[in-house]
Structure formats: structure tokens, C-alpha cells
Amino acid sequence: MSAKKNDISKEQILALKDAIELLGGKWKFCILHNLYNHETMRFKDLQETALGISPKVLSKVLQELEDNLLITRTVNNTKPVTVSYALTAHAKETEDVVNTLINFGLKHRKKIKEK
């Protein structure tokens, strides 16, 4: 069987799997999207804008994003101590992906409502 010109390569499949694992889950896109719109955000602000995420889950997701070089965590020398999060330059490359998913989601919700 011959390969077609548009067949996806093994390298592309692995890259797609990596991207899905890195960005997948219920909350990562929400967190990234909120950070695109703000230079930095505190933990409590991220929790409020994620609509329904528990502090435990938010901590876990933020740690995963930090481990994967998508966000930075800064401990601010305030009383009480506050922690803020910001996107890395690497994470900013995902903005088009997130916006495309948002637009698709809006169109899909509209189609389902019209059904």
C-alpha cells in the first residue's frame, strides 16, 4: 500500500499526542486564555475566572503548566505573601490554538441550540 501525499507522519502523530497531553484537560485552556488577557494573575483570581475549579485541582494544573514551561510562578514579598502567575513566551505560541477552539466551541454551541 503506497503512502498518500497528505498522510500524517509518525513524527506528526507523536507531536500531536504531545500537544494534546500538554494542553489537554478541563482547565488548562481556561487558565491559558485568562493569562493571555492579563499580564499576571493571582491564584484566587485564576480560581474565580475558571468557574468551578477547586483550589486543589487549580494547584495541580498550575504545577503541570509550570513544569511544562508554559507559565511562571512568582512569590511576591507582600504581607500576606501572594503568588502570581504569568505566561512564558513559549505559552504565547498557543494563543491561536486556544482562540480557534473558542470560536469552534461558540459555533458548536449555537448549532446544538438550534437543533
Side-chain angles (χ1 to χ4, degrees):
M1 190 167 152
S2 64
K4 294 181 183 176
K5 182 179 178 183
N6 294 328
D7 280 352
I8 188 166
S9 71
K10 182 178 179 181
E11 185 177 344
Q12 290 171 317
I13 290 170
L14 292 173
L16 182 59
K17 287 173 70 176
D18 289 346
I20 290 169
E21 185 173 324
L22 175 66
L23 298 172
K26 187 174 180 179
W27 301 108
K28 289 178 184 172
F29 282 114
C30 295
I31 292 166
L32 292 172
H33 179 66
N34 283 313
L35 287 170
Y36 298 138
N37 296 310
H38 303 277
E39 189 172 317
T40 61
M41 290 183 78
R42 294 178 306 135
F43 184 92
K44 187 163 182 80
D45 296 331
L46 284 166
Q47 185 181 3
E48 289 172 0
T49 58
L51 303 176
I53 192 170
S54 71
K56 181 179 178 180
V57 172
L58 179 58
S59 291
K60 181 179 182 270
V61 173
L62 289 170
Q63 183 64 54
E64 289 173 9
L65 291 170
E66 185 179 8
D67 289 346
N68 284 293
L69 310 176
L70 295 177
I71 64 169
T72 58
R73 178 181 185 270
T74 304
V75 178
N76 303 302
N77 190 16
T78 57
K79 291 194 181 193
V81 172
T82 57
V83 178
S84 58
Y85 298 88
L87 293 175
T88 63
H90 181 55
K92 291 177 183 175
E93 294 178 37
T94 67
E95 189 169 11
D96 289 341
V97 174
V98 174
N99 287 332
T100 298
L101 283 171
I102 289 169
N103 290 332
F104 173 78
L106 290 168
K107 289 176 187 175
H108 180 71
R109 290 175 71 87
K110 184 177 178 184
K111 278 193 175 292
I112 295 300
K113 287 180 182 177
E114 292 171 351
K115 187 173 138 181

